[in-house]
Coordinates of all heavy atoms in Angstrom, one line a residue:
R250 N 153.1 -66.4 43.6 CA 154.3 -65.8 44.1 C 154.3 -65.8 45.7 O 155.3 -66.1 46.3 CB 154.4 -64.3 43.6 CG 154.7 -64.2 42.2 CD 154.9 -62.7 41.7 NE 155.5 -62.7 40.4 CZ 155.9 -61.6 39.8 NH1 155.9 -60.4 40.5 NH2 156.4 -61.6 38.6
K251 N 153.1 -65.6 46.2 CA 153.0 -65.6 47.7 C 153.2 -67.0 48.3 O 153.8 -67.2 49.2 CB 151.6 -65.1 48.1 CG 151.5 -64.9 49.6 CD 152.1 -63.6 50.0 CE 151.7 -63.3 51.5 NZ 152.2 -62.0 52.0
A252 N 152.6 -68.0 47.5 CA 152.8 -69.4 47.9 C 154.3 -69.8 47.9 O 154.7 -70.6 48.7 CB 152.0 -70.3 47.0
I253 N 155.0 -69.4 46.8 CA 156.4 -69.8 46.8 C 157.1 -69.2 48.0 O 157.9 -70.0 48.6 CB 156.9 -69.2 45.5 CG1 156.5 -69.9 44.3 CG2 158.5 -69.2 45.5 CD1 156.9 -69.3 42.9
G254 N 156.9 -68.0 48.3 CA 157.6 -67.4 49.4 C 157.2 -68.1 50.8 O 158.1 -68.3 51.6
W255 N 155.9 -68.3 50.9 CA 155.4 -69.0 52.1 C 156.0 -70.4 52.3 O 156.5 -70.8 53.4 CB 154.0 -69.1 52.1 CG 153.3 -69.5 53.3 CD1 153.8 -69.7 54.5 CD2 151.9 -70.0 53.4 NE1 152.8 -70.2 55.4 CE2 151.7 -70.3 54.8 CE3 150.8 -70.0 52.5 CZ2 150.4 -70.7 55.2 CZ3 149.6 -70.4 52.9 CH2 149.4 -70.8 54.3
A256 N 156.1 -71.2 51.2 CA 156.6 -72.5 51.3 C 158.1 -72.5 51.6 O 158.6 -73.3 52.5 CB 156.4 -73.2 49.9
L257 N 158.8 -71.6 51.1 CA 160.2 -71.5 51.3 C 160.4 -71.0 52.8 O 161.4 -71.5 53.4 CB 161.0 -70.6 50.3 CG 161.1 -71.1 48.9 CD1 161.6 -70.0 48.0 CD2 162.0 -72.3 48.9
R258 N 159.7 -70.1 53.2 CA 159.8 -69.6 54.6 C 159.6 -70.7 55.6 O 160.3 -70.8 56.5 CB 158.8 -68.4 54.8 CG 159.0 -67.9 56.2 CD 158.2 -66.6 56.4 NE 156.8 -66.9 56.6 CZ 155.8 -66.5 55.8 NH1 156.1 -65.9 54.6 NH2 154.6 -66.8 56.1
E259 N 158.5 -71.5 55.4 CA 158.3 -72.6 56.3 C 159.4 -73.6 56.3 O 159.9 -74.1 57.3 CB 156.9 -73.2 56.0 CG 155.8 -72.4 56.4 CD 155.8 -72.1 57.9 OE1 155.8 -73.0 58.7 OE2 155.7 -70.9 58.3
Y260 N 159.9 -73.9 55.1 CA 161.0 -74.9 55.0 C 162.3 -74.3 55.6 O 163.1 -75.1 56.1 CB 161.2 -75.5 53.6 CG 162.2 -76.6 53.6 CD1 162.0 -77.7 54.2 CD2 163.5 -76.4 53.0 CE1 162.9 -78.8 54.4 CE2 164.4 -77.5 53.0 CZ 164.1 -78.6 53.7 OH 165.0 -79.6 53.7
S261 N 162.4 -73.0 55.6 CA 163.7 -72.5 56.1 C 163.7 -72.7 57.6 O 164.8 -72.6 58.3 CB 163.7 -71.0 55.8 OG 162.8 -70.2 56.7
K262 N 162.6 -73.0 58.2 CA 162.6 -73.3 59.8 C 163.2 -74.6 60.0 O 163.6 -74.9 61.1 CB 161.2 -73.2 60.3 CG 160.6 -71.7 60.2 CD 159.1 -71.8 60.5 CE 158.5 -70.4 60.3 NZ 157.1 -70.3 60.7
T263 N 163.2 -75.4 59.0 CA 163.9 -76.8 59.0 C 165.3 -76.8 58.6 O 166.2 -77.4 59.0 CB 163.0 -77.8 58.2 OG1 161.7 -77.9 58.8 CG2 163.7 -79.2 58.2
D264 N 165.6 -76.1 57.4 CA 166.9 -76.0 56.8 C 167.1 -74.6 56.2 O 166.9 -74.3 55.0 CB 167.0 -77.1 55.7 CG 168.4 -77.3 55.2 OD1 169.3 -76.4 55.4 OD2 168.7 -78.4 54.6
E265 N 167.7 -73.7 57.0 CA 167.9 -72.4 56.6 C 168.9 -72.4 55.5 O 168.7 -71.6 54.5 CB 168.5 -71.5 57.8 CG 167.5 -71.2 58.8 CD 168.1 -70.1 59.8 OE1 169.0 -69.4 59.4 OE2 167.5 -70.0 60.9
T266 N 169.9 -73.1 55.6 CA 171.0 -73.1 54.5 C 170.5 -73.5 53.1 O 170.8 -72.8 52.2 CB 172.2 -74.2 54.9 OG1 172.7 -73.8 56.2 CG2 173.3 -74.1 53.9
A267 N 169.6 -74.5 53.1 CA 169.1 -74.9 51.8 C 168.3 -73.8 51.2 O 168.3 -73.5 50.0 CB 168.3 -76.1 51.9
V268 N 167.4 -73.1 52.0 CA 166.6 -72.0 51.5 C 167.5 -70.9 51.0 O 167.2 -70.3 50.0 CB 165.6 -71.6 52.4 CG1 164.8 -70.4 52.0 CG2 164.6 -72.8 52.7
R269 N 168.5 -70.5 51.8 CA 169.3 -69.4 51.5 C 170.0 -69.6 50.1 O 170.1 -68.8 49.2 CB 170.4 -69.2 52.5 CG 169.9 -68.4 53.8 CD 171.1 -68.1 54.7 NE 170.7 -67.4 55.9 CZ 170.5 -66.2 56.0 NH1 170.6 -65.4 54.9 NH2 170.1 -65.6 57.2
E270 N 170.5 -70.9 50.0 CA 171.2 -71.3 48.8 C 170.2 -71.2 47.6 O 170.6 -70.7 46.4 CB 171.9 -72.7 48.8 CG 173.1 -72.7 49.8 CD 173.7 -74.0 50.0 OE1 173.1 -75.0 49.5 OE2 174.7 -74.1 50.7
F271 N 169.1 -71.8 47.7 CA 168.1 -71.8 46.6 C 167.7 -70.4 46.2 O 167.7 -70.1 45.0 CB 166.9 -72.6 47.2 CG 165.7 -72.7 46.0 CD1 165.8 -73.6 45.1 CD2 164.7 -71.7 46.0 CE1 164.8 -73.7 44.2 CE2 163.7 -71.8 45.1 CZ 163.8 -72.8 44.1
V272 N 167.5 -69.5 47.1 CA 167.1 -68.2 46.8 C 168.3 -67.4 46.1 O 168.2 -66.6 45.2 CB 166.6 -67.4 48.0 CG1 166.5 -66.0 47.7 CG2 165.3 -68.0 48.6
S273 N 169.5 -67.7 46.6 CA 170.6 -67.0 46.0 C 171.0 -67.4 44.5 O 171.5 -66.6 43.8 CB 171.9 -67.3 46.9 OG 172.4 -68.7 46.8
V274 N 170.6 -68.6 44.1 CA 171.0 -69.1 42.8 C 169.8 -69.0 41.8 O 169.9 -69.3 40.7 CB 171.6 -70.5 42.8 CG1 172.9 -70.4 43.6 CG2 170.6 -71.5 43.3
N275 N 168.6 -68.7 42.3 CA 167.4 -68.6 41.5 C 166.7 -67.3 41.6 O 166.5 -66.8 42.7 CB 166.4 -69.8 41.9 CG 166.9 -71.1 41.6 OD1 167.1 -71.6 40.5 ND2 167.3 -71.8 42.7
E276 N 166.4 -66.7 40.5 CA 165.8 -65.3 40.5 C 164.3 -65.5 40.7 O 163.6 -65.8 39.8 CB 166.1 -64.7 39.2 CG 165.7 -63.2 39.1 CD 166.0 -62.5 37.8 OE1 166.8 -63.1 37.1 OE2 165.5 -61.4 37.7
L277 N 163.9 -65.2 41.9 CA 162.5 -65.2 42.2 C 162.0 -63.8 42.2 O 162.7 -62.8 42.1 CB 162.4 -65.7 43.6 CG 162.9 -67.1 44.0 CD1 162.7 -67.4 45.4 CD2 162.4 -68.2 43.1
S278 N 160.6 -63.7 42.2 CA 160.0 -62.4 42.2 C 160.4 -61.7 43.5 O 160.6 -62.4 44.6 CB 158.5 -62.5 42.1 OG 158.0 -63.0 43.3

Side-chain angles (χ1 to χ4, degrees):
R250 291 184 168 191
K251 190 79 170 181
I253 288 171
W255 186 14
L257 289 171
R258 183 174 75 246
E259 284 304 303
Y260 187 61
S261 75
K262 298 174 184 178
T263 299
D264 191 340
E265 286 192 22
T266 300
V268 171
R269 282 190 183 276
E270 290 179 354
F271 180 82
V272 172
S273 70
V274 300
N275 294 287
E276 186 176 351
L277 304 178
S278 72

